[in-house]
Amino acid sequence: MDIGFIGLGEMGGAMVANILKAGHSVRVWNRSPDKAQALAELGAQVVGSPAEAFAGDAVFSMLADDAAMRDVVSASLLEHAPRGLIHVNMATISVSLAEELATAHASRGVHYVAAPVMGRPDVAAAAKLTIVAAGPAEAIDRVQPVFDSIGQKTWRIGSLPQQANVVKLAANFMLASAVETLGEASALLGGHGVAMQDFLDVITNSVFPGPVYQGYGKMIAERRYEPALFKARLGLKDVRLALAAADSVSTPLPVASVVRDSLIEAVAHGDGEKDFAVLGQVASRRAGR
Ligand code: NAP
């Protein structure tokens, strides 16, 4: 396929490398042009504006957050986009912005697909992302070859793009809650002289197997929060987005409120750039350790 790709951060850069490897032709744009150089060496065509990336069969975007999306995907960009182009937005953004973007794209004859992903940059580099897609079925069919080059599986959720964003936010809310409880359990165990690693050996081989308890549990046991694979600052963004999505349909998320405050506490102590697992340190500090 002939595609554009906007946003070459930790996730976007790894994704483009795999899309190129699969033989697609990719025009890339990033706010800081230096990040495009390594991809140019792999065969990407570097372009000077988002408008030049909005061409061909489809354009993908992997920007940081709502603010970045609003800065880049302007009304004028959509106005000048070719009719029938597909825009696939893979970032974790708010449900309300996803709804707004779906309407704005439709009014200008551009198809909009939301396809947020699960998996950190190392998973993106291994082309093993889990992709959650929602939007017009035909548009998803057309970009499926690109999804196949970056992910292990694409899950289709529905025809409304924002539904994929709700799935992503609900998943990250559960992830954040699991890390919070791991941190609190670690503080409890520490108070009674039980090693966190001994506890992890028991629970990950019985009632709580899986990558979340194993991966984050190990980081908390080792008090190792750097280098960050998923920054506390980004985790806070996602929990806030889950709370806003819940608020919009009058749904209380009391656990999310607790986790949000723990993440704010981490950021207030200067740990926003550390890994999400720093919630373990927040719980220990509250316990006076
Ligand atoms: P990142 O490394 O911080 O990259 C963010 C990208 O957004 C960069 O290309 C950055 O450009 C661009 N950007 C930020 N503000 C901008 C603005 N105002 N105008 C234009 N461009 C702007 O983030 P990431 O880890 O790749 O994450 C990207 C998205 O994937 C986020 O929505 C995140 O929540 C989601 N996600 C992340 C992970 C993960 O583990 N990291 C996992 C799943 C999903 P510059 O290079 O110029 O700064």
Side-chain angles (χ1 to χ4, degrees):
M1 293 183 78
D2 170 17
I3 67 162
F5 201 107
I6 289 176
L8 308 173
E10 294 287 338
M11 296 292 289
M15 291 156 86
V16 170
N18 285 321
I19 295 170
L20 288 166
K21 226 181 275 176
H24 300 287
S25 139
V26 192
R27 271 161 287 101
V28 294
W29 179 83
N30 196 61
R31 178 181 61 178
S32 316
D34 51 303
K35 288 189 187 152
Q37 280 324 306
L39 295 168
E41 281 160 29
L42 296 178
Q45 182 195 343
V46 182
V47 295
S49 70
E52 289 168 81
F54 261 67
D57 300 313
V59 58
F60 288 69
S61 56
M62 192 51 162
L63 295 165
D65 52 19
D66 280 25
M69 279 300 288
R70 285 189 190 284
D71 280 354
V72 174
V73 186
S74 62
S76 126
L77 181 69
L78 291 181
E79 195 56 54
H80 293 98
R83 305 299 92 141
L85 181 73
I86 302 168
H87 176 195
V88 182
N89 181 14
M90 306 196 78
T92 307
I93 61 161
S94 70
V95 171
S96 57
L97 180 59
E99 280 176 18
E100 199 181 310
L101 287 169
T103 306
H105 282 66
S107 72
R108 290 166 179 91
V110 179
H111 303 293
Y112 181 71
V113 172
V117 299
M118 291 178 215
R120 296 184 298 202
D122 54 330
V123 179
K128 295 272 187 231
L129 291 168
T130 292
I131 300 166
V132 182
E138 272 180 28
I140 299 176
D141 286 344
R142 277 163 57 196
V143 296
Q144 188 65 49
V146 176
F147 287 160
D148 292 342
S149 70
I150 54 177
Q152 58 176 333
K153 181 162 172 117
T154 304
W155 298 84
R156 294 191 184 203
I157 293 301
S159 58
L160 300 176
Q162 64 269 23
Q163 291 174 324
N165 297 95
V166 180
V167 170
K168 169 66 184 169
L169 293 177
N172 273 22
F173 154 59
M174 290 180 64
L175 172 66
S177 308
V179 180
E180 169 75 24
T181 56
L182 273 168
E184 292 184 22
S186 164
L188 165 66
L189 294 157
H192 291 277
V194 179
M196 179 66 175
Q197 191 54 58
D198 290 346
F199 168 74
L200 283 179
D201 289 343
V202 175
I203 62 155
T204 61
N205 285 294
S206 54
V207 286
F208 289 117
V212 172
Y213 289 99
Q214 280 170 358
Y216 287 101
K218 190 164 188 289
M219 291 176 90
I220 290 174
E222 294 172 359
R223 297 168 188 260
R224 176 174 48 82
Y225 310 118
E226 287 170 299
L229 289 173
F230 183 37
K231 292 175 185 158
R233 169 174 65 75
L234 286 180
L236 175 57
K237 174 200 78 161
D238 291 356
V239 173
R240 283 177 166 148
L241 293 180
L243 281 163
D247 192 19
S248 70
V249 287
S250 302
T251 300
L253 288 187
V255 173
S257 302
V258 169
V259 182
R260 175 197 53 203
D261 281 355
S262 294
L263 285 164
I264 289 174
E265 190 173 326
V267 170
H269 279 83
D271 293 334
E273 298 302 313
K274 291 186 183 164
D275 195 90
F276 214 14
V278 80
L279 284 172
Q281 187 164 297
V282 171
S284 293
R285 188 167 49 227
R286 286 176 182 160
R289 283 186 288 282

